[in-house]
Amino acid sequence: MALLDGGRDPLRISAESDRIDGALRFTGSRTSYPDGVAVSVRYPTSFPDPDSETATDTLEAIEACGLFEDGVLIVDGAAVRAAGYRPVAGGPVRSWTAQSGGWIVTVHGRADDGAVVRVLGAQNPAAPGRPTIPGTI
């Protein structure tokens, strides 16, 4: 679970799940705050690597559109390189995403460069959690 530093009380904490190896498993959590800001931590589910031509085209398109920029998140006291996302080219950054300790950490909403995040249980290796049981919480 991830929390924003600063002693703010979360409004809601929800679990995220995904199908892994045929089982629905817990893969992360999202903590939402009353001001619309949220922070999530999740296990990086893998995708097949694109062929080199597709990867090159994708990188060129990302750089050309101006929707992303480099930044930093402070995760458990360490500065981690982050990617910022803008819904509109030239608009405000709406989220910062970084990888820390094998986990993917994202601050959503009013996303300040350098936001401070605490990941509870970060000492555990990044891996999906136990399978969920249908019909239970």
Side-chain angles (χ1 to χ4, degrees), residues 74-101:
I74 310 300
V75 181
D76 294 330
V80 182
R81 287 181 50 136
Y85 165 67
R86 306 171 185 276
V88 178
V93 173
R94 298 303 301 163
S95 67
W96 291 102
T97 300
Q99 190 159 359
S100 178

Side-chain angles (χ1 to χ4, degrees), residues 112-132:
D112 296 329
D113 189 15
V116 180
V117 178
R118 287 184 293 132
V119 178
L120 307 180
Q123 69 280 5
N124 300 324
R130 64 182 173 80
T132 64

Side-chain angles (χ1 to χ4, degrees), residues 19-124:
R19 191 163 298 281
I20 296 176
D21 297 330
L24 192 61
R25 299 177 69 91
F26 293 110
T27 54
S29 69
R30 182 178 175 112
T31 305
S32 301
Y33 293 87
D35 59 0
V37 176
V39 60
S40 65
V41 60
R42 62 188 165 85
Y43 170 72
T45 52
S46 60
F47 296 98
D49 290 332
D51 61 62
S52 60
E53 184 176 326
T54 301
T56 301
D57 290 347
T58 301
L59 287 175
E60 288 175 359
I62 287 172
E63 290 173 2
C65 71
L67 296 179
F68 300 91
E69 71 176 52
D70 292 332
V72 171
L73 285 180
I74 310 300
V75 181
D76 294 330
V80 182
R81 287 181 50 136
Y85 165 67
R86 306 171 185 276
V88 178
V93 173
R94 298 303 301 163
S95 67
W96 291 102
T97 300
Q99 190 159 359
S100 178
W103 297 98
I104 295 177
V105 179
T106 303
V107 177
H108 313 265
R110 185 208 77 243
D112 296 329
D113 189 15
V116 180
V117 178
R118 287 184 293 132
V119 178
L120 307 180
Q123 69 280 5
N124 300 324

